[in-house]
């Protein structure tokens, strides 16, 4: 027995050496497939699902439905006011640095940054010859592109942020520098390194990097430098799959999973479903943003509901153009659904007969209009809490009933996990950015042409929402098949701008038209608040004092809906509220190296 | 084969005993005729000191003829003959037998008997006389272990032992949370169980009837022999054994009863709810009642006849429908609840009388336990075997624990000085938990805190107007518009039946041992033990149709795995006495390997058929498959240990122990740790100067100091803590090829940054105590003062996100914590007279826990479990007890607009909303105004056990209490605010909500104004309004029974027959307004948050215990 003990003691060191099981060590990654998989891991961070990469994160999203859309007052948070209540103070600009959504956003972007740096740190450790120089250049370019993207997200939301690259030894990086030059440098390096067509359609290519570089310059108001870049992208750009950038014929197709990675997709989060991940690769970010109830298959959870101000913005003048003086919210112009919010019973809401932009009916659920192929949107039954949410619901990214199960994943707690890609840069976005630059450059006709490219698509009646006149056919069948007797769901008299109407005759009105077009085209795509900050259209949008700005939208909306959650006082403070506070926990951990944003 | 022989023998004896019983009855009959001549005997009983002993029993041996001494200790008795024998007995004295021998006066002096001091207590790797114990040790007897029927034995420690805190959920099968002398770790404070010498952290399988004793080793002196894993205390469990005495014993225990669910939380009835909802709308400035279910008049809500009538054409769902409406007939004609063929068309009538959802989802649940034990032996072998069946149905529909266990213990003496044997337990356990419930499945654990949206939480979120069933008898629910999103908990639980919710756990646990005495006083022992576990679970979640948010698929999740643990222990023991010197020494070597195994789990959706005989992963759609498999992360320990006990003349005691542990949990440079302890005692009562102090029978002062290592934090969280690792799975992948699913690329992402420099936590404990036995052995007092400090505490602090947000942060040796307290136990035995006696055993354990360090630059952390619905409720901070509640102090409700204007600025302030204290005086209420609002850790816990005997009747009462703990009654968040989940059920508290009507008296408002707003001043911040006292005292057990006289039974070879009735949890005294103040949770950093706990409720039992 004693001998056994001694024998055991002598071999105890080997007895006590137990390798980690079930996971990979660094040594196993030092080859091409290892590094490629790390790069996929960096792309995976776009899903912003948090460290476990499980489904369910809607708080750290890169599509910015909270920071861009809700805070930009193009949507309400939705649901009832107590549900995900931490969004309320974000959208009223009263969020403290302890807000849980801010912590999630910060964590998501820097987790992405870390994964990119891991690629860049591991690559040089791979023995020479195992990866071709071309692949090294490509991998480096993709990693730098993604790193720049994540930093740009941090910049947009928090502004004064640390820049972390692969050479950083001490992760406690101060936020004492303007990081935009470094973001631009990374995008430019990616532009230089990346090929035009990529081995997979979901990868960032040369043109995606260049488009983002152009956009970054616009955050510096450097329109002069941005314009040639965006022009080159428009003229020469191609998708990673090799398609020349172009607008799709039908607006709806842009937001259908069956058309992912189309000619309009400069860069998008590629989502997938039923892939063995338990919906972890689906677009968890948008999973709450379906109508609540109605005839839909997905009944979760009534978030991100478009506001009345946003809906009214789609009102057209008799000439088929947007109303640029802000009077779209006037009693004469507002949509008929708005009267529902004002207290009328739904049954008494008349059909909206005045001209309206056809994009509205692909963007939001509106009374009496078919909701994709789910049946007609009937109002209250589709809304979770109209006192908080208003009469509209989000529609843009919603899956079709007919693709339920194919482009949706029902393995998690709700059926709203979708395969549709979420745009981070759409060609229409590029066109409108270029239009902005052209305005500032004084080349107003070029600007008008870009805007008209976007508007022209909407004149295509094939792309309009239809109501079937044939009792044997559904509304959706009428949309798909022009031979079915039908009428358009709205009075879609949309027109292009012309020299004659004079809008593009002066910088100020041209600028307003471009800004308005972005609002209409990119609604629910998470850009609105950042655009408004960039333009300074918080309290007044231009010298005329036209009430189409953040404040006017807030005040108008809360006079109808959402006041219970948001109050009726616009609490934005210039010089402070443009950016959110840096999460307090991060400042504490940095032992003071991270400085809080001004005003907090 | 062996046990078969035993069975045969036993059956024979049973058979024989029938005849013996008849003989007994006959002999009793005969004996009534045999009192021919009686002899009178009288005398006086004194103690050794000559003092009279009143109340002592005088009995004629072999009869029930007896009497009791009077105040002067005198007695007189008629005995049957001059050759009879008298038996004198009194508690605290040795029983004395005296032959009458034709005498008529017999005086006797009884000698004191402190039998309890002679009891042998099993301790670390050995056993010792209670009198010789110098460390902090407590014991729980077999009888107390089985007093209350329970799924796991952890509960049997509750209130029995000073210094041990136990909380248990009412969910059958849920493991108890046992904490010994506070909390040494931020991560894992589970004690180590040593069952027949085999260490384990899982005590849930053991059958309470098998237990001979449980010994709790509380201080370093007692526990440090177990070194590495003993820092949270050790519970040494010894199971029953036969004896080398030639006797065979059979015991049969049977008891059965019922658990009653009691009443659920009181919610508003349908009309009250309607009134409140419309009041909320009016208070929020609503202009109409669009989409609401109580009519269109905001000022005059009415109850509809139907809350849901589906429209087969458009799929619209109409509420607010009155009888006679033609839509009802249309809907009924096109009724459809098949979600795969939309639209759903249902008709749900309003339940105007109101549904009691708690009642609907619960039941009177039967409990049965049967235990058949066999033991015996001769001079060469002894054995004990027990077969036990335990079936406890939960109060929630379809929830239960069933356990079958077979115990086989035996020992053989093949030759002189050699003993070999085994202790073996085979367990089968089936224990599904409630829907959306708590804890982990498969592992038989279930001690986790209840999760949000479990079936019990839903029961109080369902509006009472919704019936359980629709008009066609199918499920009803929030598919009816206007009631928000709670799911029908009755439907959920009913669907979770035994076919669709399974959790099976099998285990073989035990050891084989050999003991050799090569020379006198020396024993060598070698034991190889461990466990082999296998588990399987299956949950089949069905597609629903009745809820607002329906489950969209039939989801089959199935998994299994195995785990193997072993411990190889070799010890050498020396025990001798030289004159006045007693020496006992033990040394040993131990090798432990735990956690060898694998897990496998799969998910598949929508099998072709719902038939449970058919459902399998194989026949679910391939595109829906998710697969997981992984090896477990094993860990090893290699340890040397030694202990030396010395005493001089049973007067002066010194004891020292040392253990050197090495573990795979740490990197090579800090792998080994050495943990010494020293203890001493002075038995004052043996000193000559104490000889005149007659009221002191035994008095010992003892003290000890020692250190313990601890690696439990990483053992339970991450045995691979030293390594830097990456993970890769479909869920870390990305659809880089744009295929929408078909060919997802797997990505690698960082999992953890390793800490190869990690080392042992060190916890040092100091303990000073007094053991005393007084008043002729009728009073025992154990009093101890203790302190425990943990340094180098392993904690995984948060890091800056700029280094990535990794799933696992490394454990570093950064934290520190102190615990100090007092353990007091008093046992008083009272013998009133021959018929009446009573024992009171009471204990109380006040203690304080304080975090003294967390990590450099980090003086608090907020665990994710403390964040519920975006409210951060808990903060663990330096200077505070663990898991302290943190938030704003509510100083009232804002009275009106003037009050708002004259108060410090507060976001969202408004009449009837919370007014928070501006503790900083800054003029604006903000995060810095938050305060610590109390701790869920009790100031003290206590237990009182009363045992009363009258003749052969007995009564046992056991009261357990907890004082000074706070509870965050978070259930109020769901039911006391309109805006949390608008239109879901509101509680009866809201009948006294703050009223905005002018002139309303709000001085007794129970809840804030009922309204739609959700902001800083309403329901988005942790605050003191949710805090309640969690103090309670509960009569855990009240038992009345009858022992059939042994004199009768012994002739029938029945050693005892006991029948009893029992009430468990008969009453609870508490101010807590939630369902049950005893909240369970295995995460010590987030305790005491009530979101709908599975309550411990009243149980009634009857039972019988027979011994042959």
């Amino acid at each position: 027995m004693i001998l056994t003990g001694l024998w055991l003691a002598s071999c105890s060191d080997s007895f006590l050496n137990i390798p980690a099981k079930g996971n990979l060590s660094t040594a196993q990654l030092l080859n091409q497939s290892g590094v490629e998989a790390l790069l996929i891991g960096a792309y995976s961070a776009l899903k912003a699902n948090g460290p476990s990469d499980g489904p369910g994160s809607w708080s750290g999203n890169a599509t910015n439905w909270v920071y861009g859309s809700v805070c930009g007052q193009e949507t309400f948070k939705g649901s009832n006011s107590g549900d995900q209540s931490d969004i309320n103070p974000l959208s009223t600009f009263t969020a403290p640095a302890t807000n849980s959504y801010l912590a999630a956003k910060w964590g998501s972007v820097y987790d992405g940054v870390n994964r990119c740096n891991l690629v860049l740190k591991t690559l040089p450790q791979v023995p020479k010859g195992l990866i071709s120089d071309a692949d090294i250049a490509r991998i480096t370019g993709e990693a730098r592109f993604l790193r720049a993207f994540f930093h740009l997200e941090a910049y947009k939301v928090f502004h004064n942020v640390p820049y972390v690259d692969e050479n950083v030894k001490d992760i406690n990086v101060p936020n004492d520098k303007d990081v935009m030059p470094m973001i631009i440098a990374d995008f430019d390096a990616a532009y230089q390194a990346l090929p035009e067509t990529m081995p997979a359609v979901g990868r960032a290519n040369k043109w995606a990097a260049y488009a983002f570089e152009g956009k970054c310059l616009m955050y510096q108001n450097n329109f002069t430098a941005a314009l040639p870049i965006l022009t080159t992208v428009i003229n020469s750009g191609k998708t990673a799959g090799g398609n020349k950038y172009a607008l799709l014929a039908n607006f709806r197709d842009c937001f259908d999973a069956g058309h992912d990675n189309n000619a309009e997709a400069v860069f998008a989060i590629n989502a997938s479903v039923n892939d063995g991940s338990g919906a972890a690769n689906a677009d968890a970010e948008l999973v709450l943003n379906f109508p609540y109830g109605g005839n839909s298959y997905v009944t979760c959870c009534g978030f991100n509901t478009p506001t009345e101000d946003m809906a009214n913005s789609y009102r057209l003048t008799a000439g088929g153009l947007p109303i640029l003086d802000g009077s779209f919210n006037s009693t004469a112009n507002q949509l008929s659904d708005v009267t529902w919010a004002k207290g009328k019973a739904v049954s008494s809401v008349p059909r909206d007969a005045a001209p309206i932009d056809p994009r509205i009916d692909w963007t939001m659920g509106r009374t009496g209009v078919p909701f994709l192929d789910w049946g007609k949107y009937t109002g209250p039954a589709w809304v979770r809490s109209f006192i908080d949410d208003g009469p509209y619901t989000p529609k843009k990214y919603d899956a079709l009933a007919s693709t339920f199960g194919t482009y949706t994943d029902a393995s998690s707690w709700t059926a709203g996990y979708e395969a549709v890609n979420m745009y981070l840069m759409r060609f229409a976005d590029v066109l409108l950015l270029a239009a902005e630059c052209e305005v500032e450059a004084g080349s107003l006709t070029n600007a008008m042409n870009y805007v008209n490219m976007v508007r022209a698509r909407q004149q295509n009646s094939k792309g309009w929402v239809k109501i079937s006149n044939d009792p044997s056919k559904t509304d959706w069948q009428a949309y798909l098949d022009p031979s079915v007797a039908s009428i358009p769901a709205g009075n879609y008299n949309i027109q292009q701008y012309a020299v004659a109407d004079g809008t593009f005759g002066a910088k100020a009105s041209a600028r307003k038209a471009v800004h308005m077009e972005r609002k209409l085209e990119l609604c629910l795509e998470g850009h609105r608040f950042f655009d408004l900050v960039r333009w300074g259209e918080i309290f007044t949008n231009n010298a005329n004092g036209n009430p189409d700005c953040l404040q006017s939208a807030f005040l108008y909306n809360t006079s109808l809906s959402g006041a219970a959650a948001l109050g009726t006082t616009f609490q934005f403070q210039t010089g402070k509220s443009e950016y959110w506070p840096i999460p307090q926990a991060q400042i504490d951990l940095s032992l003071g190296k991270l400085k809080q944003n001004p005003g907090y | 084969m062996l046990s078969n022989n035993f069975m045969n023998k036993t059956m024979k004896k049973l058979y024989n005993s029938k005849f013996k019983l008849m003989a007994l009855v006959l002999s009793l009959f005969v004996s009534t005729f045999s009192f021919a001549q009686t002899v009178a005997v009288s005398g006086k009983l004194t103690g050794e000191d000559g003092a009279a002993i009143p109340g002592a029993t005088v009995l004629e041996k072999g009869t029930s003829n007896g009497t009791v001494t009077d105040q002067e200790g005198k007695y007189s008795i008629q005995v049957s003959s001059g050759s009879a024998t008298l038996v004198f007995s009194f508690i605290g004295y040795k029983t004395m037998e005296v032959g009458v021998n034709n005498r008529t006066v017999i005086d006797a002096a009884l000698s004191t008997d402190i039998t309890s001091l002679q009891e042998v207590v099993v301790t670390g790797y050995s056993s010792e006389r209670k009198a010789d114990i110098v460390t902090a040790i407590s014991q729980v007897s077999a009888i107390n272990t089985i007093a209350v029927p329970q799924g796991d034995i952890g509960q049997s420690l509750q209130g029995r032992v000073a210094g041990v805190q136990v909380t248990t959920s009412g969910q059958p099968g849920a493991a108890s949370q046992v904490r010994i002398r506070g909390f040494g770790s931020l991560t894992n404070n589970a004690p180590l169980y040593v069952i027949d010498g085999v260490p384990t952290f899982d005590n849930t399988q053991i059958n309470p009837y098998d237990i001979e004793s449980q010994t709790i080793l509380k201080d370093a002196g007692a526990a440090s022999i177990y070194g590495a894993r003993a820092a949270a205390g050790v519970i040494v469990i010894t199971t029953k054994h036969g004896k080398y005495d030639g006797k065979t014993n059979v015991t049969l225990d049977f008891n059965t009863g019922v658990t009653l669910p009691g009443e659920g939380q009181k919610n508003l009835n349908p009309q009250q709810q309607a009134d409140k909802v419309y009041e909320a709308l009016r208070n929020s400035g609503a202009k109409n009642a669009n989409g609401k279910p109580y009519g269109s008049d905001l000022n005059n809500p009415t109850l509809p006849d139907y809350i849901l009538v589906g429209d087969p054409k458009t799929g619209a769902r109409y509420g607010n429908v009155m009888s006679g409406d033609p839509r009802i007939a249309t809907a009924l004609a096109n009724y459809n609840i098949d979600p795969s063929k939309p639209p759903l068309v249902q008709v749900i009538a309003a339940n105007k009388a109101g549904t009691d959802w708690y009642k609907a989802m619960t039941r009177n649940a039967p409990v049965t336990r049967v235990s058949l034990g066999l033991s015996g032996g001769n001079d060469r072998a002894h054995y004990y075997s027990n077969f036990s069946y335990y079936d406890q149905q939960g109060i929630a529909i379809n929830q239960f624990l069933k356990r079958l266990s077979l115990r086989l213990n035996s020992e053989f003496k093949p030759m002189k000085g050699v003993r070999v044997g085994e202790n073996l337990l085979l367990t089968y356990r089936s224990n599904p938990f409630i829907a959306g419930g708590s804890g982990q499945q498969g592992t038989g654990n279930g001690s986790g805190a209840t999760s949000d949206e479990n079936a019990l939480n839903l029961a109080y979120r369902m509006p009472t107007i919704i019936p359980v069933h629709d008009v066609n008898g199918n499920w009803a629910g929030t598919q009816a518009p206007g009631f928000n999103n709670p799911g029908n908990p009755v439907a959920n639980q009913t669907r979770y039946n035994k076919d669709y919710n399974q959790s099976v756990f099998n285990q073989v646990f035990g050891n084989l041992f050999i003991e050799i005495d090569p020379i006198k006083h020396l024993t060598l022992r070698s034991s190889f033990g461990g466990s082999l576990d296998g588990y399987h679970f299956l949950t089949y979640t069905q597609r629903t149709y009745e809820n607002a948010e329906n489950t969209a698929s039939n989801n089959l999740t199935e998994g299994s795995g195995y785990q193997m643990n072993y411990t190889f222990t070799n010890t050498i023991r020396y025990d001798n006495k030289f004159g006045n010197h007693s020496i006992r020494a033990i040394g040993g070597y131990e090798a432990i390997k735990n956690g060898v195994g694998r897990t496998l789990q799969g998910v598949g959706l929508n099998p072709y058929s719902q038939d449970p005989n058919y459902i399998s992963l194989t026949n679910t759609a391939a595109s829906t498959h998710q697969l997981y498999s992984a090896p477990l992360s094993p860990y090893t320990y290699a340890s040397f240990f030694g202990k030396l006990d010395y005493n001089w003349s049973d007067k002066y005691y010194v004891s020292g122990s040392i253990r050197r542990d090495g573990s795979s949990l740490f990197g090579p440079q800090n792998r080994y740790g050495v943990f010494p302890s020293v203890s001493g005692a002075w038995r004052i009562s043996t000193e000559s100067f104490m000889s005149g102090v007659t009221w002191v029978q035994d008095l010992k002062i003892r003290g000890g100091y020692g250190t313990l290592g601890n690696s439990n934090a990483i053992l339970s969280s991450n045995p691979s803590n030293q390594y830097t690792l990456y993970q890769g799975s479909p869920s870390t992948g990305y659809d880089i090829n744009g295929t929408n699913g078909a060919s997802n690329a797997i990505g690698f992402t960082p999992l953890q940054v390793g800490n190869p420099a990690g080392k042992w936590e060190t916890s040092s404990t100091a303990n000073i105590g007094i053991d005393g036995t007084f008043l002729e052995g009728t009073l025992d007092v154990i009093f101890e003062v203790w302190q425990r400090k943990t340094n180098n505490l392993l904690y995984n602090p948060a890091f800056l996100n700029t280094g990535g947000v990794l799933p696992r942060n490394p454990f570093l040796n950064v934290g520190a914590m102190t615990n100090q307290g007092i353990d007091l136990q008093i046992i008083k035995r009272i013998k009133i007279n021959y018929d009446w006696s009573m024992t009171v055993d009471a204990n109380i354990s006040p203690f304080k826990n304080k975090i003294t360090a967390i990590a450099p630059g980090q003086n608090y952390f907020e665990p994710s479990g403390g964040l519920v619905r975006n409210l951060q409720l808990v903060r663990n901070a330096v200077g505070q007890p663990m898991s302290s509640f943190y938030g704003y102090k509510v100083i009232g409700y804002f009275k009106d607009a003037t009050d708002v204007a004259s108060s410090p600025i507060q976001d969202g302030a408004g009449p009837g909303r919370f007014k928070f204290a501006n503790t900083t005086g800054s003029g604006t209420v903000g995060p810095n105004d938050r305060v610590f609002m109390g701790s869920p850790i009790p100031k003290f816990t206590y237990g009182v056990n009363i045992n009363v005997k009258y003749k052969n009747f007995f009564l046992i009462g056991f009261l357990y209490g907890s004082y000074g703990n706070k509870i965050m009654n978070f259930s109020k968040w769901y039911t006391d605010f309109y805006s949390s989940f608008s239109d879901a059920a509101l509680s009866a508290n809201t009948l006294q909500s703050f009223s905005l009507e002018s002139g309303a008296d709000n001085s007794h408002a129970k809840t804030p104004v009922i309204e739609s707003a959700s902001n800083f001043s309403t329901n988005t911040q942790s605050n003191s309004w949710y805090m309640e006292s969690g103090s309670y005292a509960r009569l855990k057990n009240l038992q009345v029974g009858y022992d059939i006289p042994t004199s009768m039974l012994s002739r029938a070879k029945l050693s005892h027959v006991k029948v009893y009735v029992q009430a468990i949890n008969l009453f609870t005294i508490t101010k807590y307004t939630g369902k049950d103040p005893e909240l369970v949770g295995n995460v010590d950093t987030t305790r005491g948050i009530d979101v709908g706990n599975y309550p411990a409720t009243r149980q009634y039992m009857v039972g019988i215990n027979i011994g042959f």
Side-chain angles (χ1 to χ4, degrees), chain A residues 61-78:
Chain A
N61 56 91
T63 52
N64 290 315
W65 72 269
V66 171
Y67 301 99
S69 296
V70 179
C71 296
Q73 315 299 326
E74 74 182 21
T75 57
F76 292 113
K77 182 209 72 182

Side-chain angles (χ1 to χ4, degrees), chain B residues 678-697:
Chain B
V678 60
S679 307
W682 176 28
R683 201 139 158 234
I684 305 172
S685 54
T686 56
E687 295 288 355
S688 53
F689 61 80
M690 289 291 288
S691 60
V693 188
T694 54
W695 57 276
V696 176
Q697 273 63 54

Side-chain angles (χ1 to χ4, degrees), chain B residues 1007-1083:
Chain B
T1007 76
V1009 61
I1010 209 86
E1011 59 175 338
S1012 182
S1014 178
N1015 63 37
F1016 184 85
S1017 298
T1018 65
N1019 64 346
T1020 69
Q1021 299 301 317
S1022 171
N1023 68 50
S1024 60
W1025 180 81
Y1026 300 97
M1027 302 304 309
E1028 292 190 33
S1029 162
S1031 301
Y1032 70 97
R1034 175 171 281 170
L1035 190 66
K1036 298 288 278 193
N1037 186 22
L1038 184 66
Q1039 201 173 354
V1040 179
Y1042 183 68
D1043 263 317
I1044 294 175
T1046 45
S1047 55
M1048 238 166 93
L1049 299 168
S1050 60
R1051 297 191 192 176
K1053 287 286 177 200
L1054 287 173
S1055 60
H1056 64 269
V1057 174
K1058 188 165 88 174
V1059 291
Y1060 59 90
V1061 294
Q1062 187 176 18
I1064 292 147
N1065 300 331
L1066 192 59
F1067 64 80
T1068 305
I1069 302 165
T1070 183
K1071 285 183 185 160
Y1072 183 61
T1073 63
K1075 177 73 181 149
D1076 184 359
E1078 185 173 352
L1079 293 176
V1080 72
N1082 59 355
V1083 179

Side-chain angles (χ1 to χ4, degrees), chain A residues 13 15-18 24 37 47 80-82 111 171 202 257 260 270 273-275 281 292 299 340 384 386 410 564 586, chain B residues 288 290 484-485 548 553 623 636 664 671-672 723 726 730 733-734 736 740 744 748 801-802 805 979-980 982 1012-1013:
Chain A
D13 267 339
F15 183 67
L16 295 177
N17 281 326
I18 305 241
L24 298 158
K47 298 176 297 179
N80 51 261
S81 61
D111 189 43
I171 58 166
D260 281 350
N270 266 268
V273 294
N274 305 316
D275 59 3
N281 300 319
Y292 200 75
T299 53
W340 169 38
R384 186 157 181 175
F386 72 89
Q586 296 298 310
Chain B
N288 62 39
N290 276 338
N484 215 297
N485 68 351
S553 58
S623 68
T636 53
S664 69
R671 175 165 283 169
Y672 293 96
Y723 302 109
Y726 301 83
Y734 187 75
I736 200 77
N740 285 328
N744 192 302
F748 294 158
N801 290 161
T802 40
V805 184
S979 63
S980 293
S982 308
S1012 182

Side-chain angles (χ1 to χ4, degrees), chain A residues 78-107:
Chain A
S79 183
N80 51 261
S81 61
D83 197 359
Q84 298 300 319
S85 55
D86 262 9
I87 300 175
N88 293 332
L90 291 173
S91 64
T92 54
F93 312 101
T94 56
T98 49
N99 185 284
S100 66
Y101 268 67
L102 293 174
K105 179 72 181 176
W106 181 280

